[in-house]
Amino acid sequence: MISVYSIDSARSQIRSFIESSEQILVVTGMIGTGIEQLLRYIVEQALYLGRNYSVLGPNRRIASRYPVDNAESIYTQIYSRNPRFDKEKFVYDLTEQRKADEKHLYVMGDAHLISDSKFETDNAIYGSGKLLTDFLEFAGIQKSKRQIIWLGDPFQLTRGKADESALCAERLQALTGLPVQTVLLHYILPQNEDDLFVENCLNLAKSMESGRFNVLGITTDSSRCMESPNEPSSQHQIFHNFFTEEPRLTKFVCFSHVQVNHLNEWVRKNIFSRGEAITVGDIVHIHNSLSGYPENELDSPIYVPNDSFAEVIAVSDDVPPIVQPLKGRDRPINVPFLRIRARLLTDSREIGFFCLKNYLYAEKPELDTDTIIAIQVSVKTRFRQQQKQRGLESDDNSDDSQFAMFLRRDPYFNAARLRIGYALTLHL
């Protein structure tokens, strides 16, 4: 391992790597060490040396925050945008590399979120389901002179196990058979030494390195970082102050779904005087990606990435539910929906969509198996009915492009999975 103790020496190592024949470099560092600055530096060096490059992030929302032009999601880069439908799921196949440059440079930000932990949703799977393996196959570095620089924070939560992460040099070497250079940013930058947030992160990082988690000291002040009182009425006063001043931006992170539900209920009842049902003014947290429709539905749909927040501006329960008989069930499965119009907090665009009522009000943000199957069977039935009305025959061909198009536009199949968004667990 190469241990780097300053941002300047890290830049030197990166420059040497880009000019070398080496192909894989892993750069790690916690917040405050300057790792955030290196992404822009790498792009500058690539341009200076006349190298073609791609800057990628774990998803579109994260990539949009990078301080460079044209950063995009790794999913957009490596997977087909026209999925096929196979075994009740959208399948986004791995695509061929769009750039033929044999010395292309890939720069991956937040690489701690790229891993080989198997991932698929109940209605979609990307490639093999192993993102790291898929990307390495897409990049084709074993058959070219291409390079990859992984930038990440080893102290942040990973997707899956740490030894499945793109920051794990041993795994990268095992997958590619290539040597892996590593750079560790060790020191906090001078301008960040007095930052209270960075100081607390450093304390947590030291505890993680030593394996000590029983007593975690937190440095506080009177404004930026405060210790929550144990007495309930004092806690409620803090909640009241924050949500009164910044109701759209304040978020409380809780340990469990029980705590999240309790706090969301308390805030809605005691601060905003709202009842149990979702209503105008509520802030919601959208857990799945979807396409919402603008006020003028003739305009193109608006893509909403998962983990988005929005303010409800209209609610209606006039949506007919899915009532779907299933084999082996005594009675049809009833799946209720709500019609929501909301304003995205990121850019204030207004969109309309269906949402799953059971997901919104459940104790945990989950859907039971019968609900998932009922939605899938229902959408197939409605597609067949539409085809029959058009005088067309429909079968269950998994590559049926018309069926895939129908699914992408179906408001029931693409209904939002959302929850009240004043409190959330650390896992979301």
Side-chain angles (χ1 to χ4, degrees), residues 1-271:
M1 175 181 287
I2 302 174
S3 294
V4 178
Y5 298 95
S6 72
I7 188 71
D8 291 334
S9 53
R11 291 191 181 103
S12 177
Q13 292 287 349
I14 289 170
R15 173 66 183 260
S16 297
F17 170 80
I18 295 175
E19 294 179 324
S20 75
S21 60
E22 297 294 327
Q23 292 183 268
I24 304 177
L25 173 64
V26 176
V27 184
T28 59
M30 64 169 286
I31 185 172
T33 58
I35 192 168
E36 305 90 349
Q37 303 174 14
L38 292 179
L39 197 149
R40 178 182 290 157
Y41 174 79
I42 294 169
V43 169
E44 291 173 351
Q45 291 304 306
L47 290 172
Y48 177 77
L49 296 171
R51 295 284 299 276
N52 291 326
Y53 68 90
S54 298
V55 177
L56 305 176
N59 57 49
R60 185 184 302 188
R61 179 177 55 83
I62 292 176
S64 67
R65 298 176 181 175
Y66 293 157
V68 297
D69 295 330
N70 302 319
E72 63 179 349
S73 163
I74 185 174
Y75 288 90
T76 301
Q77 176 84 193
I78 74 174
Y79 294 117
S80 169
R81 301 188 186 188
N82 296 306
R84 55 189 175 85
F85 199 72
D86 185 26
K87 297 179 181 179
E88 311 300 334
K89 291 181 182 286
F90 280 120
V91 179
Y92 295 83
D93 291 317
L94 191 66
T95 63
E96 294 183 2
Q97 193 186 62
R98 286 175 283 173
K99 295 179 170 41
D101 180 11
E102 284 296 296
K103 294 191 67 176
H104 196 83
L105 172 65
Y106 290 98
V107 188
M108 177 62 65
D110 294 278
H112 49 276
L113 297 176
I114 306 298
S115 82
D116 261 348
S117 177
K118 185 77 172 182
F119 171 75
E120 59 183 272
T121 69
D122 54 64
N123 62 6
I125 183 169
Y126 294 85
S128 69
K130 294 187 174 183
L131 182 58
L132 177 56
T133 293
D134 283 353
F135 175 72
L136 292 172
E137 180 181 342
F138 171 85
I141 61 172
Q142 295 164 285
K143 301 177 182 179
S144 67
K145 297 180 181 180
R146 299 178 187 117
Q147 295 177 308
I148 306 173
I149 299 179
W150 307 91
L151 300 169
D153 185 342
F155 298 105
Q156 293 195 33
L157 289 175
T158 60
R159 297 273 175 86
K161 300 177 182 178
D163 61 5
E164 295 177 327
S165 163
L167 298 186
C168 179
E170 292 80 6
R171 188 171 193 88
L172 290 174
Q173 188 165 356
L175 289 172
T176 64
L178 298 171
V180 178
Q181 290 193 32
T182 57
V183 168
L184 169 64
L185 290 173
H186 188 72
Y187 284 141
I188 302 297
L189 295 178
Q191 61 266 35
N192 294 329
E193 289 177 350
D194 296 327
D195 188 296
L196 192 62
F197 184 75
V198 172
E199 181 179 345
N200 280 306
C201 288
L202 181 59
N203 291 337
L204 293 173
K206 290 178 179 178
S207 295
M208 293 172 70
E209 287 181 325
S210 63
R212 298 179 61 185
F213 302 100
N214 289 334
V215 180
L216 301 178
I218 302 296
T219 304
T220 62
D221 62 11
S222 59
S223 58
R224 295 173 298 166
C225 183
M226 297 174 288
E227 183 177 356
S228 177
N230 293 323
E231 203 275 316
S233 63
S234 298
Q235 288 183 354
H236 290 163
Q237 185 59 51
I238 290 178
F239 298 158
H240 187 279
N241 292 344
F242 276 111
F243 281 111
T244 299
E245 293 175 7
E246 290 286 355
R248 291 159 54 90
L249 301 179
T250 299
K251 301 288 178 287
F252 273 82
V253 179
C254 303
F255 175 75
S256 68
H257 295 301
V258 173
Q259 292 174 322
V260 166
N261 295 340
H262 173 74
L263 184 53
N264 277 329
E265 181 182 352
W266 188 92
V267 169
R268 295 182 71 254
K269 178 181 178 181
N270 293 278
I271 297 179

Side-chain angles (χ1 to χ4, degrees), residues 353-368:
F353 50 85
F354 288 2
C355 86
L356 286 152
K357 194 173 181 179
N358 289 347
Y359 189 91
L360 171 63
Y361 295 122
E363 291 185 7
K364 295 182 180 180
E366 299 172 350
L367 289 179
D368 62 84

Side-chain angles (χ1 to χ4, degrees), residues 292-305:
Y293 290 89
E295 189 168 1
N296 181 358
E297 296 193 0
L298 295 178
D299 294 338
S300 299
I302 297 172
Y303 175 78
V304 182

